[in-house]
Amino acid sequence: LLSQCVIIALTDKGVGFAGSTGDGQSDSLPSVPGTLPHFIQEPEDAYIVKSNPIKLRCRAAPALQIFFKCNGEWVHQNEHLSQEYKDLNTGLKVREVMINVSRQQVEDFHGPEDYWCLCVAWSHLGTSKSRKATVRIAYLRKNFEQDPQGKEVPIKGMIVLHCRPPEGVPVAEVEWLKNEELVSSLTDDHIDTRADHNLIINEARLSDSGNYTCLASNIVAKRRSATATVIVFVNGGWSLWTEWSSCNVPCGRGVQKRSRTCTNPAPLNGGAFCEGMSVQKITCNALCPIDGGWDEWSEWTVCSSQCERQRSRECNSPAPRHRGKMCEGNSEATENCTDGLCTQSKAFLPYDCVAVYFSISVGNPLLLNSSMQPDLTVGRTYSTPLCFQDTTDKELFDPLPDIKVKVQSSFMVSLGVAERADTVERRKKGPFAGRLHQESFRSHVSQCESTGCIFSLQGYNVFYLAFCYVSISLFVPLSLSLSVCVCVSSGVFSVQTEEGCEILLGPEVTYGPPGLDLFSPVAMTIAHCAEIDAENWNIQLKRKTQDSKWEEVMSVEEESSSCYCLMDSTSCHLLLDQPGSYALVGEPLTQAAIKRLKLAVFGSMEVSSMDYSLRVYCVDDTPHAFQGVVATEKSRGGQLLEEPKMLPFRANTFSLQVSIQDVPQFLWSIKPFTTCQEFSFPQVWCSNQQPLHCAFSLERYSPATTQLSCKISVRQVKGHEQILQVYTAVAETEKESVPFFMQTDCTITSQTGPKAFKIPLSIRQRICATFDTANAKGKDWQLLAQKLHLDRNLCYFAKQRSPSAVILSLWEARHQDTGDLDSLASALEEIGKIHSKTVDMPTNHNC
């Protein structure tokens, strides 16, 4: 192996010298016999950059020879560069060897581990091996595994920018740049860059805003990540209120103001502006100047020896106040009391001077003979047909659980759509007969009917209007004397967009009069026919303007401080501040949007006793829409043949098909080509509460046929289907039949006790007093709203004079069908338990 003819014997223990020949192998440098080689320098791990070979070095002493062994094979002697010298400190012979490793060698190696090399050194005693040094090809990929993302954070918030550098050998080191300048936790204690290549700022400062870049580098290259923009924003905060200004009028009712600014701090970098009002106003009463007025003169004094008498008066009727003027004139008067009969020396004449006084009493004609009678009913006088007044003899509600009080009930007034004055006349002897004036009521109802108004009412207390079959209800606030008119429109809906994609989901409802001014919102409930799904529907509340156009009030998914909207599965509960005409409209966002249709089949005999007509109605699933069908069929003598069913109708542009099936052909015949009828999609989708119907005319072969059985299939193409089963008698003597749901008496009545579902007044007042007052432990109106499941759009309640009262009105409207006072009691009991856990005091069971 060696050019000097050194014979190497390979043994199990390693590589050793067996002998040597030639003059080139003499020990030119001294060594220490009996000492194994010691490595002064071992080969180090190396990386090949691009195509540049790397050098591996070994130094050992004492060493006769050193050779490299790579991947288990000896490196050829010709590839070694060696030299030897004497260590001046130890006098030992030191040998140094170097080899080159190329990129090609590393790429051609396909072993189970990385390319490696070690050194083997020989001495007279034996051999020594160095450590293994790995040789790898260095690289750094271009794309980061994770780029940092821009953020907007509030001041003092935490900033975390994630960075995962590109794959590379050796592993890339990461640095961070802010606005192209290096940042490090070594120079800024506020910044931490040591955690898994991430940059962390625990408390953001305004100065931390900037463009951040992750910089990855190794011996091959440097890579830059995408730039992440960090914005540290400041939300605005209100300054303190200024002092109240002086009253803006010198006399009478005026206004005082105070203001604050959104400067504590001012919003920066897109931070939110302060919420709330910057100016507050309160009414003030400036005391008006009152000019002084004279009292009556006093009686004249006795005539004095100087033949004079005096009288006086004071400026006390009224006394001057608030910068008023003093009385003009003299406060004292003196006159001669003898009509000049006294001498110049003021001596009396021979006869006495006598003063005579006349006292005259003058009565007030308005008091003595007044044509005006005292108004003994101020605040309790009513001119309209129906009024309410709290009295002590009303039926009492049962107390709520754990609330040890007895309270008076309220009233509920329900009114049928088809009611007339003659109905009221029949009810004249009811509980309010003493206050019903037949003639004025008849004219009042006529006036309402001429305007399309269902009912008009004036009263002293809170009242609740519910319209039978149309599912419209109205709550009016407490302690008012007013007239309210509510109209339910049955005409064609007038809200249409240019695209024509908005549809009416319930009846148009108007309440008024226009000038109605209430101290608390009105709670109104309107039925709708939509399957509620925010992904498929955009539902809006709209109001008619003075020029009969419709404007958007709010979307039901939005939160607004001017209006409140709560959607249930079949009803929409509104809190309204302004009277007017309102409509609930929907725009389908996807073809999965569904509106509910109510399906009903009616039957009646035709003019010919052998003919029978089946009429199938498809209407929007609201009580108001179906009421039109009922009224029509009642006038035709129709009979409801099957309980109405609901059909989900999708916005998929496909039509609705109605077909008659399973008609006994040997008993009945039907006109050809009429067994299947079809409504187009626009007809059904844009019906806007107007009923659609189709008719099937059947003829029986024999008068002996007295039964009809068949099926009515109503299906949407590529949609849902419903089957109406018809089985009815068709006897000629059959009388007009009224549908079962029309037999309910729905005249004007007053209902007390449990039927008139209303939170008792005393309980309502105690709840409001408890929750309207801020509480350090969180027992306020917001907790009440949460427990009653009304905790959305809280900003609307916050702007009310009594948030709790408005919350309770909304809860009452939502629970009219169930009348469930127990659920309110349970919510209050739960609040009491929560409060008892946080406050070290006995629980107040009366709250």
Side-chain angles (χ1 to χ4, degrees), residues 93-125:
K93 181 172 60 177
V94 178
R95 181 173 291 274
E96 180 176 348
V97 176
M98 179 184 67
I99 65 170
N100 290 330
V101 178
S102 67
R103 183 186 185 100
Q104 189 66 40
Q105 289 176 280
V106 177
E107 289 179 344
D108 291 342
F109 174 68
H110 301 288
E113 53 187 346
D114 290 332
Y115 190 100
W116 59 268
C117 294
L118 59 79
C119 293
V120 180
W122 283 268
S123 69
H124 290 290
L125 186 60

Side-chain angles (χ1 to χ4, degrees), residues 602-632:
F602 290 82
S604 64
M605 297 292 295
E606 294 300 311
V607 177
S608 171
S609 61
M610 301 296 287
D611 295 335
Y612 193 82
S613 175
L614 291 177
R615 294 175 295 279
V616 181
Y617 290 86
C618 304
V619 297
D620 293 348
D621 187 15
T622 64
H624 170 259
F626 194 58
Q627 179 64 19
V629 175
V630 172
T632 300

Side-chain angles (χ1 to χ4, degrees), residues 196-449:
D196 297 330
H197 308 309
N198 299 329
L199 184 144
I200 300 175
I201 300 176
N202 288 316
E203 290 190 3
R205 306 162 295 186
L206 286 175
S207 59
D208 292 324
S209 297
N211 296 321
Y212 288 82
T213 307
C214 182
L215 187 64
S217 62
N218 64 6
I219 59 176
V220 178
K222 290 185 178 181
R223 304 280 188 252
R224 293 170 60 94
S225 71
T227 299
T229 300
V230 173
I231 298 176
V232 180
F233 62 86
V234 178
N235 290 327
W238 288 114
S239 65
L240 296 177
W241 289 102
T242 62
E243 297 294 330
W244 288 104
S245 66
S246 57
C247 204
N248 66 338
V249 294
C251 171
R253 187 179 181 87
V255 175
Q256 286 180 284
K257 298 180 182 179
R258 66 174 183 175
S259 61
R260 57 182 178 175
T261 58
C262 189
T263 56
N264 185 32
L268 291 174
N269 296 339
F273 196 78
C274 304
E275 294 183 358
M277 298 180 296
S278 61
V279 177
Q280 279 187 342
K281 297 180 181 180
I282 58 174
T283 58
C284 56
N285 288 298
L287 299 175
C288 296
I290 299 176
D291 295 337
W294 291 114
D295 287 340
E296 296 291 331
W297 286 102
S298 65
E299 300 291 338
W300 288 104
T301 62
V302 177
C303 197
S304 66
S305 59
Q306 286 78 25
C307 297
E308 291 179 345
R309 60 180 183 180
Q310 291 83 31
R311 65 177 182 177
S312 62
R313 58 182 179 178
E314 294 184 356
C315 189
N316 282 332
S317 293
R321 288 180 293 171
H322 315 313
R323 307 177 306 281
K325 297 179 181 179
M326 289 293 296
C327 301
E328 296 182 359
N330 297 323
S331 62
E332 295 182 351
T334 303
E335 70 175 10
N336 188 286
C337 55
T338 62
D339 289 332
L341 298 179
C342 288
T343 63
Q344 294 291 333
S345 62
K346 306 296 183 180
F348 280 112
L349 295 177
Y351 52 86
D352 292 333
C353 299
V354 180
V356 181
Y357 298 91
F358 294 91
S359 176
I360 301 175
S361 298
V362 180
N364 186 340
L366 292 177
L367 297 178
L368 297 178
N369 185 20
S370 175
S371 62
M372 298 176 60
Q373 298 300 320
D375 187 357
L376 303 180
T377 59
V378 173
R380 300 271 179 161
T381 300
Y382 309 97
S383 60
T384 45
L386 191 60
C387 57
F388 302 104
Q389 180 176 0
D390 265 337
T391 58
T392 57
D393 58 349
K394 289 182 183 176
E395 180 181 341
L396 298 180
F397 264 117
D398 292 331
L400 287 175
D402 301 326
I403 300 181
K404 308 301 183 183
V405 293
K406 287 267 186 181
V407 295
Q408 296 177 351
S409 69
S410 302
F411 290 96
M412 181 180 75
V413 177
S414 56
L415 187 70
V417 175
E419 289 296 341
R420 296 293 183 268
D422 55 347
T423 307
V424 180
E425 189 172 357
R426 292 196 302 271
R427 293 283 175 170
K428 188 173 176 181
K429 298 180 180 181
F432 300 102
R435 296 194 183 97
L436 288 175
H437 306 285
Q438 178 179 346
E439 295 301 326
S440 63
F441 180 77
R442 181 175 287 122
S443 63
H444 194 72
V445 170
S446 299
Q447 180 181 3
C448 283
E449 289 175 349

Side-chain angles (χ1 to χ4, degrees), residues 332-574:
E332 295 182 351
T334 303
E335 70 175 10
N336 188 286
C337 55
T338 62
D339 289 332
L341 298 179
C342 288
T343 63
Q344 294 291 333
S345 62
K346 306 296 183 180
F348 280 112
L349 295 177
Y351 52 86
D352 292 333
C353 299
V354 180
V356 181
Y357 298 91
F358 294 91
S359 176
I360 301 175
S361 298
V362 180
N364 186 340
L366 292 177
L367 297 178
L368 297 178
N369 185 20
S370 175
S371 62
M372 298 176 60
Q373 298 300 320
D375 187 357
L376 303 180
T377 59
V378 173
R380 300 271 179 161
T381 300
Y382 309 97
S383 60
T384 45
L386 191 60
C387 57
F388 302 104
Q389 180 176 0
D390 265 337
T391 58
T392 57
D393 58 349
K394 289 182 183 176
E395 180 181 341
L396 298 180
F397 264 117
D398 292 331
L400 287 175
D402 301 326
I403 300 181
K404 308 301 183 183
V405 293
K406 287 267 186 181
V407 295
Q408 296 177 351
S409 69
S410 302
F411 290 96
M412 181 180 75
V413 177
S414 56
L415 187 70
V417 175
E419 289 296 341
R420 296 293 183 268
D422 55 347
T423 307
V424 180
E425 189 172 357
R426 292 196 302 271
R427 293 283 175 170
K428 188 173 176 181
K429 298 180 180 181
F432 300 102
R435 296 194 183 97
L436 288 175
H437 306 285
Q438 178 179 346
E439 295 301 326
S440 63
F441 180 77
R442 181 175 287 122
S443 63
H444 194 72
V445 170
S446 299
Q447 180 181 3
C448 283
E449 289 175 349
S450 66
T451 60
C453 186
I454 299 301
F455 189 56
S456 180
L457 160 95
Q458 180 178 18
Y460 184 75
N461 287 330
V462 62
F463 57 87
Y464 164 68
L465 302 179
F467 299 97
C468 298
Y469 315 134
V470 298
S471 191
I472 303 297
S473 61
L474 180 73
F475 276 97
V476 180
L478 185 67
S479 299
L480 295 174
S481 181
L482 48 84
S483 293
V484 175
C485 188
V486 181
C487 308
V488 181
S489 172
S490 59
V492 178
F493 184 55
S494 56
V495 174
Q496 292 292 335
T497 62
E498 294 182 358
E499 297 81 5
C501 57
E502 285 188 345
I503 63 171
L504 184 63
L505 299 179
E508 297 179 39
V509 181
T510 303
Y511 86 92
L516 189 65
D517 186 14
L518 305 177
F519 67 85
S520 183
V522 163
M524 179 183 291
T525 299
I526 304 176
H528 65 80
C529 61
E531 290 288 344
I532 302 302
D533 188 342
E535 294 182 357
N536 298 324
W537 279 104
N538 175 26
I539 301 178
Q540 298 176 347
L541 178 67
K542 294 198 174 186
R543 176 174 53 215
K544 186 179 289 186
T545 61
Q546 292 182 350
D547 55 357
S548 297
K549 295 182 179 180
W550 290 85
E551 63 180 3
E552 179 183 349
V553 178
M554 66 177 295
S555 171
V556 298
E557 297 297 327
E558 295 176 353
E559 296 190 357
S560 170
S561 59
S562 62
C563 184
Y564 190 100
C565 185
L566 178 63
M567 293 293 290
D568 283 341
S569 59
T570 59
S571 299
C572 176
H573 308 284
L574 304 171

Side-chain angles (χ1 to χ4, degrees), residues 72-83:
E73 296 182 359
W74 294 102
V75 179
H76 196 277
Q77 179 183 1
N78 295 337
E79 297 179 16
H80 290 72
L81 295 177
S82 62
Q83 62 177 352

Side-chain angles (χ1 to χ4, degrees), residues 395-409 753-754 758-760 762-763 766 820-826 828 845-846:
E395 180 181 341
L396 298 180
F397 264 117
D398 292 331
L400 287 175
D402 301 326
I403 300 181
K404 308 301 183 183
V405 293
K406 287 267 186 181
V407 295
Q408 296 177 351
S409 69
K758 199 78 173 63
I759 298 175
S762 61
I763 293 181
R766 298 181 74 171
D820 188 10
L821 277 175
D822 290 340
S823 64
L824 175 61
S826 299
L828 296 176
H845 292 287
N846 292 328

